[in-house]
């Protein structure tokens, strides 16, 4: 066996391993995106319930309870938005890295796309 044929499968295995790591990081970013969407949706559902039941209470009487709840909801909206933004940025970054690897090593491009 020549040295050339021994190096090519090892290089392909190394690149495929790299791509597998990037794909697992991409799955992690997708789960972060899912978590961000869930955190973002929670305050919206709480506010929907409050609006739907608003005829049963007076705002003046529940304002000491309503103000901290609205502040907590604002914090959850900010956290959910940040998680969504960060996950989308990471997804684009990992897609870019995978695209660079497949352009550099054409032998594995057919397995990725």
């Amino acid at each position: 066996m020549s040295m050339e044929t021994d190096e090519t499968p090892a290089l392909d295995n190394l690149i495929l391993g790299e791509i597998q790591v990037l794909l697992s990081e991409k799955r992690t970013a997708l789960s972060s995106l899912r978590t961000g969407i869930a955190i973002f949706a929670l305050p919206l559902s709480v506010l929907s319930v409050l609006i739907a039941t608003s005829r049963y209470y007076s705002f003046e009487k529940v304002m000491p309870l309503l103000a901290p709840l609205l502040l907590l909801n604002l914090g959850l909206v900010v956290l959910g938005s940040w998680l969504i933004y960060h996950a989308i940025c990471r997804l684009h970054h990992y897609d870019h890295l995978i695209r660079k690897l497949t352009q550099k090593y054409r032998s594995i491009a057919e397995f990725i796309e």
Side-chain angles (χ1 to χ4, degrees):
M1 285 187 130
S2 71
M3 187 71 149
E4 185 177 306
T5 58
D6 289 339
E7 289 179 10
T8 303
L11 181 64
D12 285 347
N13 288 338
L14 180 68
I15 300 304
L16 285 175
E18 243 182 276
I19 290 176
Q20 283 179 337
V21 168
L22 288 173
L23 289 175
S24 68
E25 291 290 330
K26 190 174 175 180
R27 277 193 308 272
T28 304
L30 285 171
S31 69
S32 176
L33 178 68
R34 182 183 64 218
T35 303
I37 291 170
I39 289 174
F40 188 82
L42 182 67
L44 297 177
S45 62
V46 169
L47 289 178
S48 297
V49 169
L50 287 176
I51 290 170
T53 60
S54 64
R55 65 177 176 211
Y56 298 117
Y57 58 86
S58 170
F59 283 110
E60 296 82 25
K61 292 181 182 177
V62 296
M63 189 52 82
L65 299 173
L66 198 58
L69 179 67
L70 292 176
L71 189 63
L72 178 67
N73 283 346
L74 177 66
L76 288 174
V77 166
V78 169
L79 176 65
S81 300
W82 182 80
L83 282 172
I84 291 169
Y85 173 77
H86 188 64
I88 289 174
C89 288
R90 287 185 2 205
L91 285 171
H92 287 300
H93 175 69
Y94 296 135
D95 283 339
H96 177 70
L97 289 176
I98 291 171
R99 196 174 312 114
K100 275 179 37 178
L101 283 174
T102 55
Q103 287 173 354
K104 187 174 181 180
Y105 303 101
R106 291 288 181 187
S107 63
I108 60 168
E110 66 186 54
F111 299 115
I112 303 302
E113 296 188 48

